[in-house]
């Protein structure tokens, strides 16, 4: 297993608990900061509970829903349906706790500060794949690439899809401030940029900017100053962050939403962002990684039981993964369509402000707890056209 982010470490845990012997490798040491909005959707929180890590949720800050805000002051706000809550959870905490849980499993060996730089994959001839783990070549029955957005495993396996034409980048940091007492994720939609603020503690908020290359280039050289400037421009509760103490170096990441042609090959699967990342506009990547790692563990169990780890047998992973994330992928495309048309997006947000029922149903899908069929045609029209 190459990569110990949420996708890799949760899958490693599940496989070890099935009785498989697993080697989990990551070049980083934990805790580490990761550029991420850190909003864990209810479906992701459920997966943490199923892994026996419910206590982790107490270390984050619950949020009851989502608010969109426009420069002219328009706000559309909705709670998750049925009293569900999301959790603002720092990746430094989440990822370290998952890695620690892995270290406590007897069947699981964890090697940190160890990069995988070479990979030899089998043809159809029945040989086993090998990876150079640090200085040592290691053979395995199955390689799992869980190595994130830019996935070297995906590249080495020749599974990289062309990058999206419209590039987007993320910039993120944490700011300490006086308590906000406002437990929602807020998205300020500016012209050509969106600013997500997710409370992760009473007095600490994550600020994540999503924007295009031109704006990112304008911020280069002083990412923190640039992020503070946009927080000031967004106003409202963002002003408290703009004036707050930055807790670490502000970082940028991208281009985002890189894809794989498929998530399997002979004796290899890709999971999490390595298998294809959605644009973070819906704040789902961690939840998708946790939910789909459960599906991957089922596919792997079936493949081992049948004694068949061929690309043909593992193709069901690509199919099941795609089916699982299809509703969110469609929702993400709809939001990106709007993000590229700020005037149109403003009309839609105004329309959602007047139709809290529609917004609530959309949020149920985004939360990963309601089927796409819960969105009516009327809701879809309102989302896309704003009438
Ligand atoms: C700006 C921004 C905002 C976001 N907001 C949210 C949000 O609010 N909610 C949400 O759920 N998601 C959000 N996401 C998405 C989320 O961050 C990702 O989907 C998530 O991190 C993917 O997890 P992963 O385990 O697949 O990969 P990662 O978390 O990236 O982990 C991959 C691991 O692989 C290791 N690795 C890489 N290469 C090698 C190698 N060669 N050898 C060994 N180890 C290696 C890395 O060190 C890393 O630890 C956001 C993303 C961005 C960029």
């Amino acid at each position: 297993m190459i990569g110990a982010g949420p996708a890799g470490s949760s899958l490693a845990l599940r496989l070890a608990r099935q009785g498989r012997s697993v080697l989990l490798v990551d070049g980083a040491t934990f805790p580490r900061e990761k550029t991420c909005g850190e909003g864990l959707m209810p479906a992701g929180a459920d997966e943490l509970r199923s892994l026996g890590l419910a206590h982790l949720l107490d270390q984050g800050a619950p949020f009851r829903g989502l608010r969109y805000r426009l420069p002219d002051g328009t706000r559309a706000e909705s709670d998750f349906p049925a009293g569900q809550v999301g959790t603002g959870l720092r990746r430094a905490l989440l990822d370290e706790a998952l890695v620690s849980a892995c270290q406590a499993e007897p069947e699981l060996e964890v090697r940190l500060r160890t990069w995988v730089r070479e990979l030899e994959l089998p043809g159809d001839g029945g040989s086993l794949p090998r990876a150079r783990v640090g200085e040592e070549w290691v053979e395995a029955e199955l390689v799992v690439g869980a190595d994130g957005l830019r996935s070297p495993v995906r590249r080495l396996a020749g599974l990289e899809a062309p990058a999206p034409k419209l590039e987007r980048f993320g910039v993120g940091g944490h700011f300490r401030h006086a308590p906000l007492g406002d437990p929602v994720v807020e998205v300020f939609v500016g012209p050509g940029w969106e600013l997500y603020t997710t409370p992760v503690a009473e007095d600490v908020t994550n600020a994540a900017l999503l924007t295009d290359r031109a704006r990112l280039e304008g911020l280069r050289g002083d990412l923190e100053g640039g992020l503070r400037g946009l927080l000031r421009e967004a106003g409202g509760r963002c002003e408290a962050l703009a004036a707050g103490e930055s807790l670490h170096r502000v970082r940028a990441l991208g281009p985002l939403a890189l894809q794989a042609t498929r998530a399997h090959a002979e004796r290899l699967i890709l999971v999490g962002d390595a298998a294809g990342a959605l644009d973070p506009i819906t704040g789902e990547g961690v939840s998708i990684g946790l939910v789909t790692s459960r599906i991957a563990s089922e596919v792997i169990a079936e493949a081992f039981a049948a004694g068949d780890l061929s690309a043909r047998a593992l193709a069901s992973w690509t199919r099941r993964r795609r089916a699982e994330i299809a509703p969110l992928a469609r929702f993400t495309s709809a939001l990106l369509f709007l993000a590229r048309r700020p005037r149109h997006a403003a009309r839609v947000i105004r329309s959602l402000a007047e139709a809290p029922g529609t917004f609530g149903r959309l949020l149920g899908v985004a939360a990963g707890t309601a089927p796409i069929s819960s969105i009516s045609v009327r809701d879809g029209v309102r989302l896309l056209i704003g009438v």
Side-chain angles (χ1 to χ4, degrees), residues 3 6-7 26-27 32 34 36-39 91 115-116 272-273 283-286:
D26 200 298
R32 55 128 169 74
K34 171 91 181 58
C36 179
E38 300 182 325
R91 293 291 300 273
W115 295 101
V116 171
D273 276 9
E284 299 284 349
V286 173

Side-chain angles (χ1 to χ4, degrees), residues 75-87:
R75 295 149 71 108
E77 185 165 338
S78 178
D79 290 356
F80 290 115
Q84 292 174 323
V85 289
T87 307

Side-chain angles (χ1 to χ4, degrees), residues 39 53 64 158 172 196 286 292 377:
L53 296 169
R64 57 179 167 74
Y196 292 69
V286 173
T292 57
V377 173

Side-chain angles (χ1 to χ4, degrees), residues 119-152:
L119 195 59
E120 283 179 2
L121 292 170
D124 299 332
S127 60
L128 292 182
R130 300 193 320 145
R132 187 156 70 83
V133 177
E135 294 311 314
E136 184 193 348
W137 279 96
V138 176
E139 207 170 63
E141 289 186 80
L142 177 73
V143 170
V144 179
D147 48 347
L149 181 68
R150 309 183 73 86
S151 180

